[in-house]
Amino acid sequence: MANLTAKYAKWVHGKNPQFLIEEVIRWRIYETRYWMEECFALSAAQLVDKAIELKYVGGTVAPATRPTPFLCLAAKMLQIQPSMDIVEEFIRLEDFNFMRSLGMFYFRLVSDTIPIFEKLEPYYNDFRKIKYQQPDGKMVLLHIDEFVDKLLHADRWCSIQLPRIQMRKILEAEDKLEPYISPLADEFDEMLAEEEDQSSEMEASDSDLEAQYDLTLKLPRKEKKKKEAVGDYVSSEDEMEKKWKEKEKEVTNLGDLINNYAKD
């Protein structure tokens, strides 16, 4: 009887709210010591104190797929179905990161598509850190804006299959949602403007340096040797002819000497 859904609870997405958690995980939650000791006969008012005591977020943890206290409290909220005013107050409080995460997680499970985007997207600018226990049991740091992004775009988060929601671009095309404007858009535009100014200043300084100092490398040109004129070749040919004539004379003189010697 302690695990039954409250009689006043309304169905969510056409079924019992507790059935949003898979049966295997649901029964593991019922068998945990935290559920039996801390969540038994827990009312909506007492739920606030338990949410404040949370130290980390997560789903089921290996090796025995043990549900975390965060998941147990989410299941308890599905069981007793607190009013949406309490859930929105969970989300609105800034001093308790894990209470805000619990409220956003429950709101994502039970609410419709358009209210989910309208309610959770403003917390993209919340960059505070929270502890997240991975399925392998390791603790990692996570930011609240990352937690919101998982809720809006992941199919499964904290070991729970999240109800399907429409894509944002489809809602924008149907004029059901206004185009999303990031809170960092102005800072991003300012950063781009500063980069453009810096690049223009660098270009101007480079042009000034080039105008002041001629950086072109001037190498000494090699003088090409001029070819000798045709007349030079003619003079060299005349010399060769003279040499040949002198040799012929010597030969003729030698021949005359031989003939004279023979006559004698």
Side-chain angles (χ1 to χ4, degrees), residues 154-166:
D155 294 330
R156 190 177 184 86
W157 183 235
C158 292
S159 305
I160 301 297
Q161 182 69 33
L162 299 176
R164 293 187 179 276
I165 57 176
Q166 285 184 300

Side-chain angles (χ1 to χ4, degrees), residues 199-264:
S199 61
S200 60
E201 290 177 359
M202 291 292 292
E203 291 177 358
S205 61
D206 292 341
S207 60
D208 293 339
L209 288 173
E210 289 178 359
Q212 187 175 0
Y213 303 102
D214 189 6
L215 300 179
T216 55
L217 183 61
K218 294 182 179 180
L219 297 175
R221 294 183 178 179
K222 293 182 179 180
E223 295 182 358
K224 296 182 179 180
K225 293 182 179 181
K226 295 182 179 180
K227 294 182 179 180
E228 295 179 353
V230 179
D232 297 336
Y233 290 107
V234 174
S235 61
S236 61
E237 290 178 357
D238 295 339
E239 291 177 357
M240 291 293 293
E241 289 180 358
K242 289 180 181 180
K243 289 180 180 180
W244 280 109
K245 288 180 180 180
E246 291 176 357
K247 287 182 180 181
E248 288 177 355
K249 287 180 181 181
E250 291 177 357
V251 171
T252 53
N253 293 331
L254 182 61
D256 293 340
L257 289 174
I258 295 171
N259 290 328
N260 295 330
Y261 182 79
K263 288 179 181 180
D264 294 339

Side-chain angles (χ1 to χ4, degrees), residues 158-176:
C158 292
S159 305
I160 301 297
Q161 182 69 33
L162 299 176
R164 293 187 179 276
I165 57 176
Q166 285 184 300
M167 299 179 66
R168 198 183 202 288
K169 60 182 180 181
I170 297 175
L171 298 175
E172 291 178 1
E174 296 176 354
D175 295 330
K176 294 181 180 179

Side-chain angles (χ1 to χ4, degrees), residues 63-97:
T65 62
R66 175 182 54 83
T68 60
F70 178 85
L71 190 60
C72 292
L73 289 181
K76 191 63 181 182
M77 292 179 72
L78 292 173
Q79 183 186 26
I80 64 177
Q81 201 174 68
S83 65
M84 294 305 293
D85 295 335
I86 296 176
V87 178
E88 291 178 0
E89 191 65 26
F90 276 24
I91 300 173
R92 194 180 301 113
L93 289 176
E94 297 182 357
D95 297 334
F96 305 101
N97 298 344

Side-chain angles (χ1 to χ4, degrees), residues 30-86:
Y30 297 156
E31 294 172 357
T32 59
R33 184 174 180 179
Y34 184 86
W35 175 268
M36 292 184 288
E37 292 183 357
E38 304 293 338
C39 298
F40 181 78
L42 194 66
S43 63
Q46 297 170 339
L47 183 66
V48 178
D49 298 331
K50 298 299 179 182
I52 292 173
E53 294 174 359
L54 286 175
K55 302 299 182 183
Y56 57 92
V57 301
T60 56
V61 182
T65 62
R66 175 182 54 83
T68 60
F70 178 85
L71 190 60
C72 292
L73 289 181
K76 191 63 181 182
M77 292 179 72
L78 292 173
Q79 183 186 26
I80 64 177
Q81 201 174 68
S83 65
M84 294 305 293
D85 295 335
I86 296 176

